[in-house]
Structure formats: C-alpha cells, structure tokens
Amino acid sequence: MRAFQLAATGSQPDFAEIPLPPPGPGELRVQIAACGLNFADLLMIDGKYQDIPALPFTMGMELAGTVTEIGAGVTGFAPGDRVACFAGQGGLAPEGNFAAHRCLRLPGTMDFVTAAAFQIAYGTSHLALDHKARLQPGETLFVTGAAGGVGLTAVEIGKRMGARVIASARGAEKLAVARAAGADVLIDSESPDLRGQLKALGGIDVMYDSVGGPAFMEALRATRPEGRLLAIGFAGGDVPQVPANLLLVKNLSVMGLYWGGYLTFRPDVLTASLATLAQWIAEGSLHPHVSQTFPLEQAADALACLKARRSTGKVVVTMG
C-alpha cells in the first residue's frame, strides 16, 4: 500500500510503497478513514520529539476507521467496529495494524473526522486540567495559544468543568474562535503587559501553556497563591526557565504533561479520560473544531498548513 513515511529526521516525508502483514497477536487491522495531525508530527520530522518511532515509519499519530481483521488474543472487538486509535504512528495510510489496547469503540453519533481529531488534543487538556491541575468550578483558567489544536480544547474543557476562562491568541479572528469555544475573556497575545492585564482581571489559578516563552513568565507573576502552571508544549520555541524562589514564596506548582507517556505507566488513567471525553462529545457538551481537512495525497500540504499556523483547531487528513 502507499503510505506517507518519514525516512530520516531532518528530511521531508514522502509517499512510499510498503507491505502490510496480517495483524499480529493483540492487534486490530483498521481500514483508516481519517487521521488527525499534531504539532508533535512536525517535531518528529525535525528529530526533536521525545518519542520518535524507529525509522522509516508511517506518520500520523491518531486515527479513526473500521476494524477489518482481529489478531490472536484480542477480545472486545469485532470486524465492522468503528474505532478511534492513538497509535503513535501509522495513520497516514489506507490501512494499518494497531494494538487493540490503544483503540476505543466510537459512539454511534461520532463521525470519523471528529474521532480522529479529539484524542490527543482533548485527551491532553482533560488529563492536564482534571488529573494534574485538579481544576475546580469557579477558578480562573488562563490558556495560551487558545485557538490552536490543544489550546482550543483547554478553553472548551475548562468551561465544561466550570472555570472562568481567559484565552490568549493572536489576532481578532483567532480570538473569535476562542470566544465561540466558551472563553469568558480574550487577550491578544501581541498586546503589551500581559502580567498587568491578568492582575487587573484578578489573577489566575491555573495556567495552561502550550506556547512557552515570555507569556509563561508573565503569567507566573500573575498567578494567585497555590496556583498551578501546566507546561504542555513550547510551540513558540522558547522553553521557560522557572525561578524556584517564586514558587516557594507563592506556594505555586509547575507541572509537565506528556499525554502519551501515560500509555506506559498509567494507561488506566488515559483510557478513563478518553471514555469521559467520548461521552461528553456524544452528549453534545464538547464540539471538536476541525478547521481544515486534506485528502491523503495532500498530506504534505496539511503539515505545511499546521507549521504555518494557518489553522484554528485541528487539521485532519481523510482517506476517502
């Protein structure tokens, strides 16, 4: 089959003809309908991601499709099941074999594009805000990059959890997207004196930061005592260096969140989180935002769109 592969870090991925063996023990063969793209895909290409599969590999970390074959020892799935899968790789192809424990049966109301878009972005935000930061109703949540793939989900989930949400993004168009997702207060990321603006709003209890750079440090100084700061990613390229004396004086906590790591040491936490999210989406309390879809043949263009930050919410590649 024809798959979109990365042959070497630092090079550009391209299509290659590869074989597809039968599913092994514990695996499902999935006919892929859609694959969600992530900032981590760009980091893999540059060789900068913390968990890069052995080269060469087919790109695409999260996908959705239909089970066509069952490997030995698999229970709970049958051919014809509609599933979402956090595979880590293999999504940018017509088919693939994936570990059954990484697959989740879809509610009947969820389409494949939505299913391919929600796992990593919504999963990251829910795990960060619920399991790590213990966000409480009535608290103030500040989200950077609030119109991006994960930031937008943090706005929506934070609002679903009862928080007052302050959203930061660049420009009126992106801020409007954050407002539509439930943000209560909007701050243009290019406006001056972020610290002063946040303090004028009463300060913050939880910061969800996927950008890094100066915004993290300014928000740190506007965080209330016992506040929690979540380091989700560094899309801006700058990794903040946190002064520990400020943490001590204000009793602050800084926490990192690598969502995929939970597959190794606490898969039960991750699975429970995804099940909660699927239920919320099926109930209509969350609305995954996909700004653009591309056919598989335009996978390179889809990644370029993500890299140029032309998207709001998720970019999804479809196979049909």
Side-chain angles (χ1 to χ4, degrees):
M1 66 176 181
R2 199 159 181 255
F4 194 66
Q5 289 213 315
L6 183 67
T9 55
S11 67
Q12 290 305 304
D14 204 350
F15 286 98
E17 290 289 336
I18 64 168
L20 181 62
E27 290 185 334
L28 303 174
R29 174 171 286 186
V30 177
Q31 181 180 346
I32 300 168
C35 175
L37 299 186
N38 296 274
F39 186 70
D41 293 308
L42 302 177
L43 294 177
M44 286 185 184
I45 293 170
D46 292 337
K48 296 178 180 178
Y49 194 57
Q50 61 263 33
D51 188 12
I52 300 175
L55 296 161
F57 69 92
T58 300
M59 299 195 67
M61 301 175 69
E62 58 182 335
L63 59 101
T66 304
V67 175
T68 58
E69 291 184 50
I70 307 291
V74 173
T75 59
F77 292 94
D81 283 348
R82 301 166 66 255
V83 296
C85 179
F86 170 64
Q89 60 174 305
L92 290 175
E95 292 184 282
N97 297 323
F98 305 105
H101 73 267
R102 292 191 174 208
C103 295
L104 176 75
R105 279 219 300 276
L106 297 176
T109 55
M110 189 181 294
D111 63 88
F112 286 130
V113 170
T114 300
F118 94 90
Q119 298 166 82
I120 295 176
Y122 277 87
T124 295
S125 293
H126 184 256
L127 214 59
L129 295 175
D130 182 63
H131 179 69
K132 295 285 284 188
R134 307 293 183 188
L135 180 68
Q136 300 299 307
E139 288 191 316
T140 295
L141 168 67
F142 174 56
V143 181
T144 66
V150 291
L152 195 63
T153 67
V155 171
E156 199 176 356
I157 290 172
K159 196 65 182 173
R160 172 66 175 74
M161 294 176 68
R164 174 198 185 209
V165 180
I166 302 172
S168 171
R170 183 183 302 165
E173 183 180 349
K174 290 189 174 183
L175 286 171
V177 172
R179 170 76 81 188
D184 299 289
V185 182
L186 306 175
I187 296 177
D188 193 307
S189 60
E190 295 192 332
S191 63
D193 191 19
L194 175 61
R195 175 188 180 185
Q197 292 185 73
L198 292 175
K199 283 197 165 186
L201 291 164
I204 63 175
D205 298 296
V206 175
M207 178 189 186
Y208 180 103
D209 180 40
S210 61
V211 177
F216 187 99
M217 302 309 297
E218 291 195 52
L220 172 68
R221 289 171 167 82
T223 303
R224 296 170 181 154
E226 291 199 326
R228 291 86 75 201
L229 297 100
L230 291 158
I232 305 299
F234 313 106
D238 240 356
V239 178
Q241 304 301 305
V242 180
N245 61 311
L246 287 183
L247 307 183
L248 183 153
V249 171
K250 296 177 73 175
N251 290 289
L252 303 180
S253 301
V254 177
M255 296 172 276
L257 191 284
Y258 168 40
W259 183 78
Y262 277 82
L263 282 167
T264 303
F265 64 89
R266 287 295 304 275
D268 57 313
V269 171
L270 190 147
T271 303
S273 171
L274 286 178
T276 296
L277 289 168
Q279 181 180 343
W280 286 357
I281 293 169
E283 291 170 354
S285 6
L286 298 178
H287 303 88
H289 177 69
V290 176
S291 62
Q292 285 152 292
T293 60
F294 292 80
L296 180 59
E297 291 300 314
Q298 295 177 21
D301 295 332
L303 286 167
C305 173
L306 190 66
K307 186 173 184 177
R309 300 186 192 179
R310 295 195 300 269
S311 60
T312 55
K314 290 287 288 191
V315 174
V316 174
V317 173
T318 57
M319 309 305 148

